[in-house]
Amino acid sequence: MWLVLTLVSSLSNVGRSVPGAMLRVSLSRAPTKAWMQQLVSANLVKSSTRTLASNPNPQNLPKQPLPKLQATLEKYLQTLTPLLSNEEHAVTTKLVKEFECSATADTLQKYLEQRAKCKLNWLEEWWLNTAYLGFRYPVVVHSSPGQSIPFETFESEDDRLTYTSKLILAALSYKMIIDEKKMPVDKMGKFELDMEQYNKIFGTCRMPKKPIDFLCYNRNSKHIIIMHKNHFFRLNVLHNDKPLSQKQIFDHLKCVITQSSEKTVPIGVLTSDDRDNWTKFYEDLCTGNEKSLTDVQQSLFLVCLDDAMPGVDSDYPNKQTKGGYQLIHGGGSCANSGNRWFDKTVQFIIGCDGILGLTYEHSPSEGQPIAYMVDFLYNFIKKDSGTAIPDNTTNEGPTKLCFEISDATTKNIEKAESNIDQLVANFDLRCFKFEGYGKDFIKQQKLSPDSYIQMAMQYAFYKMNGFPAAHYESAATRKYVGGRTETIRSCSAESLAFAKTMLDKCKSDEEKVAALKAAIDAHKKYAVQALEGHGVDRHLLGLRLAARELGSDLPALFSDVGFTRSTNFLLSTSQVATKCDAVMGYGPTSPEGYGCCYNPREHDINFAVSRFTDCPKTNVEQFENCMTQCLCDMQRVLTKAQKSKL
């Protein structure tokens, strides 16, 4: 979704090399049809990840388009206007025009065109491998988001286990709806969206490997893993395609608690380290532990029964922020970071103090399918729907997984603990609720809520820093088979003009409203193009990967200040909407920027803003205060301008 855009500006460090002998090609002339066929035969245009045997396009969705090169480059130059000086823009324009007219550009574009013909989605495999599986930083903070579920108050351990049994049943019910194809098809207007991501939520696990990880899918698994005080328990929850009852699950959870009263070796913390370290750790851990590891990897999902986070409530600005830390990283080696297996797509987290939510490994799915699941889980539990499920005829209890801990693994755990503690110390988060208004007021003004909030971020950043931020917002391209995301470049000439106008005391309210509406219109226009697959970032990524596969040097425009500055996203943002009172959080993509996820509801807006503490230029408390003030300013000028017309 959001984090991976840093790779667009540092692609040389990640990704998969071309298999077999590198076929180095002169880029001085355009490729012939026969030459392109040679590439296909040489496996330089790889086979699709979706095979015909697996019915790769059951919804008969259209293929993701490959934009025209000229259109992408023109749009790219336009997005640079607010970020570059006139002199810098002139230099970049010259480089872009030289590239556009070159034989290199023609060759790279034709390579992409051939790839688009050979695959259901020309980008899908590249994006998965480059943005996620080839990403070698820890998935914790850098990739995997934390998603809250409305918190509860537990008066006793039995209260927590009762809730947990309901949550497990809710998740199993959601899975059965997906498996039975009863899930309503998501739509964007009249267009169906690709539903394949839902099929990858349960049973999926990322597997560590150099130089690139891979995913294993276990949709037909019947068991889950329960973690408590770093212990692992396998529990079979489906028998004859029917779940256990709520009471049966509750009893098994009680058994888990009884068998794990003291903390044990935090094997799970190994999964929090960077991917190359974890790959080496995994090789050591496999010796004598293959069965237990397989049980974890093939489980439908994890249930993490957590201890309290370090410190007291006054150490955190609010409970949502405290929960955000717990859901994103677990609090470090002295807290719950070992009570995890961060490679699993879904880990439900139930804190002893009522903090609830999940962390999810990002590779298989974007945030919105996860958010839809959260609303389902919340409503299922609220309605107490699990009580209607009868006892299962089979009621096998939990099995504690055993691990042999070698000296090498002991040292690896110590290293992973040190590294996660450093990461935890360097991660700063602030969750807050803007209560002044929500989507209701924005819609009354006949404005797009998402574009409105995006412009508030641009305004706030400019007000804080005096210059505009390169600004990423994710746009789903799921109207196409295999579609994932495209970048909405929210920073525009219009957004900069809006921020300047709002801060100009000589401008009237009417002028400020006009600037706001112009900025919103510009954002909406780009957003629509991104949703259609016609942004600039994925096409530019494709050109870079094509150059790599052809053995070519990267064109000069990719080392130019225009590219490096516009892809250093100081604002990495995403709307992940739930109807329930919840929010998703994640880390920044830039070491000197912010991560900002938001959930606009009818009468309020939930935010989760993050930064790295070793950057003196950023401040999440200041960001919250400035965002709050800017949203109030925008409401004020809209209201005053409206009244002046009466």
Side-chain angles (χ1 to χ4, degrees):
M1 193 166 64
W2 42 83
L3 74 130
V4 292
L5 272 297
T6 52
L7 299 176
V8 176
S9 58
S10 58
L11 190 57
S12 60
N13 297 320
V14 298
R16 176 177 241 158
S17 59
V18 178
M22 174 64 75
L23 181 59
R24 191 168 185 86
V25 182
S26 170
L27 295 176
S28 61
R29 59 186 176 86
T32 63
K33 182 177 180 180
W35 178 78
M36 290 305 300
Q37 185 57 47
Q38 181 184 4
L39 293 184
V40 176
S41 300
N43 200 29
L44 291 178
V45 180
K46 304 183 188 71
S47 62
S48 174
T49 54
R50 298 172 183 237
T51 63
L52 291 175
S54 62
N55 192 9
N57 191 7
Q59 295 173 249
N60 197 29
L61 297 172
K63 294 176 69 172
Q64 183 163 335
L66 175 69
K68 299 294 184 184
L69 183 61
Q70 181 182 8
T72 293
L73 295 178
E74 288 178 357
K75 195 178 302 176
Y76 171 63
L77 286 173
Q78 185 179 3
T79 68
L80 301 182
T81 302
L83 300 172
L84 302 180
S85 68
N86 291 338
E87 294 77 13
E88 289 170 332
H89 201 280
V91 171
T92 298
T93 299
K94 182 175 181 292
L95 286 174
V96 169
K97 294 301 181 184
E98 288 174 352
F99 171 71
E100 182 182 348
C101 298
S102 69
T104 297
D106 188 51
T107 298
L108 297 180
Q109 181 69 7
K110 282 186 167 59
Y111 185 88
L112 294 181
E113 290 169 357
Q114 182 64 27
R115 182 180 176 90
K117 291 179 182 178
C118 295
K119 293 179 175 290
L120 276 173
N121 187 307
W122 67 271
L123 182 62
E124 180 182 16
E125 184 179 9
W126 268 352
W127 182 247
L128 177 64
N129 290 340
T130 303
Y132 295 108
L133 301 181
F135 185 67
R136 307 317 288 169
Y137 277 52
V139 296
V140 183
V141 171
H142 296 287
S143 175
S144 296
Q147 167 71 56
S148 69
I149 300 173
F151 297 166
E152 296 281 339
T153 299
F154 299 138
E155 300 296 337
S156 65
E157 184 70 352
D158 279 4
D159 276 359
R160 175 163 72 144
L161 300 186
T162 297
Y163 178 92
T164 304
S165 63
K166 294 177 181 180
L167 178 64
I168 292 170
L169 274 178
L172 294 175
S173 298
Y174 192 71
K175 179 189 184 300
M176 289 188 285
I177 289 172
I178 295 170
D179 291 347
E180 294 167 6
K181 303 188 186 306
K182 295 179 180 178
M183 192 80 183
V185 176
D186 296 340
K187 290 189 175 183
M188 183 173 64
K190 65 179 181 180
F191 297 103
E192 288 192 1
L193 302 183
D194 192 336
M195 298 293 287
E196 181 62 20
Q197 291 180 28
Y198 288 92
N199 293 321
K200 298 175 180 178
I201 293 175
F202 297 106
T204 304
C205 191
R206 180 167 172 167
M207 304 291 289
K209 188 175 181 181
K210 291 183 180 180
I212 185 169
D213 296 345
F214 63 97
L215 294 174
C216 66
Y217 303 100
N218 305 279
R219 287 183 60 187
N220 297 321
S221 179
K222 308 298 183 186
H223 73 276
I224 64 173
I225 296 294
I226 302 165
M227 297 197 66
H228 181 239
K229 295 186 181 297
N230 306 330
H231 298 266
F232 294 77
F233 293 84
R234 170 182 170 139
L235 178 63
N236 293 333
V237 290
L238 291 171
H239 299 277
N240 299 321
D241 296 323
K242 294 182 180 180
L244 301 181
S245 70
Q246 183 175 312
K247 183 181 182 307
Q248 288 174 319
I249 295 174
F250 174 85
D251 290 341
H252 295 323
L253 291 173
K254 290 273 284 186
C255 183
V256 164
I257 297 296
T258 300
Q259 295 184 54
S260 54
S261 58
E262 300 294 331
K263 274 193 171 183
T264 190
V265 179
I267 297 170
V269 77
L270 296 171
T271 65
S272 71
D273 215 320
D274 76 64
R275 303 309 295 179
D276 288 345
N277 279 350
W278 169 218
T279 300
K280 175 62 174 66
F281 299 164
Y282 183 72
E283 292 171 356
D284 294 334
L285 186 61
C286 277
T287 303
N289 296 310
E290 293 88 347
K291 175 64 169 63
S292 292
L293 288 171
T294 299
D295 281 344
V296 175
Q297 292 155 357
Q298 292 184 354
S299 62
L300 290 173
F301 52 84
L302 260 67
V303 174
C304 306
L305 298 169
D306 273 9
D307 290 341
M309 288 283 284
V312 295
D313 286 348
S314 59
D315 295 332
Y316 304 90
N318 51 54
K319 193 170 183 178
Q320 280 293 339
T321 299
K322 180 181 180 182
Y325 284 124
Q326 187 164 351
L327 300 175
I328 293 172
H329 56 53
S333 63
C334 294
N336 300 295
S337 295
N339 205 50
R340 301 281 188 275
W341 195 264
F342 285 106
D343 285 1
K344 283 301 295 182
T345 301
V346 173
Q347 300 182 91
F348 294 110
I349 295 164
I350 303 93
C352 59
D353 56 358
I355 288 174
L356 305 168
L358 60 91
T359 182
Y360 86 96
E361 201 286 306
H362 206 327
S363 303
S365 172
E366 307 308 332
Q368 203 56 56
I370 300 295
Y372 289 157
M373 177 178 69
V374 166
D375 276 330
F376 177 90
L377 301 177
Y378 176 73
N379 290 326
F380 186 98
I381 294 169
K382 187 177 180 180
K383 295 175 182 177
D384 217 8
S385 301
T387 56
I389 298 174
D391 285 351
N392 198 295
T393 53
T394 305
N395 192 22
E396 179 185 352
T399 302
K400 189 172 184 177
L401 302 186
C402 298
F403 288 90
E404 296 180 14
I405 310 299
S406 66
D407 290 343
T409 293
T410 298
K411 292 179 181 179
N412 294 338
I413 290 172
E414 291 173 355
K415 182 175 182 179
E417 286 183 320
S418 175
N419 289 341
I420 188 61
D421 287 345
Q422 291 178 48
L423 182 57
V424 166
N426 195 33
F427 180 66
D428 196 11
L429 178 72
R430 199 165 185 101
C431 299
F432 62 96
K433 183 190 297 292
F434 175 75
E435 296 184 293
Y437 55 91
K439 292 189 296 183
D440 54 349
F441 170 77
I442 303 171
K443 289 178 179 178
Q444 287 169 13
Q445 307 302 310
K446 296 181 169 45
L447 300 174
S448 160
D450 184 71
S451 296
Y452 184 98
I453 296 169
Q454 287 285 308
M455 293 307 98
M457 292 181 196
Q458 276 289 306
Y459 174 25
F461 187 94
Y462 185 85
K463 185 176 182 179
M464 289 170 61
N465 298 281
F467 62 89
H471 185 162
Y472 162 71
E473 180 189 7
S474 58
T477 53
R478 287 173 52 210
K479 67 178 292 185
Y480 304 115
V481 58
R484 293 292 298 259
T485 63
E486 173 60 278
T487 301
I488 302 170
R489 292 191 166 202
S490 294
C491 183
S492 64
E494 292 84 356
S495 71
L496 178 56
F498 160 62
K500 289 181 175 180
T501 301
M502 288 294 291
L503 293 172
D504 189 340
K505 296 180 180 178
C506 296
K507 297 294 184 182
S508 67
D509 291 330
E510 289 75 15
E511 289 174 305
K512 292 177 179 179
V513 168
L516 169 59
K517 290 183 176 179
I520 286 175
D521 287 344
H523 179 270
K524 283 173 59 180
K525 180 180 178 182
Y526 198 104
V528 169
Q529 293 171 344
L531 291 166
E532 296 287 341
H534 288 283
V536 302
D537 287 274
R538 301 301 181 265
H539 192 186
L540 293 177
L541 174 63
L543 293 168
R544 298 188 76 196
L545 289 170
R548 169 179 290 181
E549 292 204 353
L550 296 176
S552 164
D553 294 333
L554 283 177
L557 72 92
F558 292 112
S559 57
D560 169 64
V561 64
F563 185 79
T564 56
R565 189 174 298 164
S566 69
T567 55
N568 182 28
F569 293 111
L570 300 182
L571 287 174
S572 181
T573 71
S574 185
Q575 177 186 157
V576 180
T578 60
K579 293 180 181 179
C580 65
D581 193 4
V583 70
M584 182 177 284
Y586 49 79
T589 63
S590 168
E592 54 189 11
Y594 296 94
C596 184
C597 194
Y598 54 99
N599 176 15
R601 304 196 310 147
E602 286 304 311
H603 306 297
D604 54 46
I605 308 170
N606 285 330
F607 289 94
V609 180
S610 65
R611 68 156 192 140
F612 292 115
T613 60
D614 60 7
C615 177
K617 300 176 183 178
T618 53
N619 184 307
V620 290
E621 183 177 3
Q622 183 185 3
F623 190 97
E624 175 190 352
N625 294 336
C626 199
M627 269 295 294
T628 299
Q629 185 60 56
C630 289
L631 286 166
C632 291
D633 289 347
M634 291 161 70
Q635 183 188 42
R636 176 182 54 79
V637 298
L638 283 164
T639 303
K640 288 179 68 177
Q642 194 174 46
K643 288 181 179 178
S644 68
K645 293 180 180 179
L646 299 177

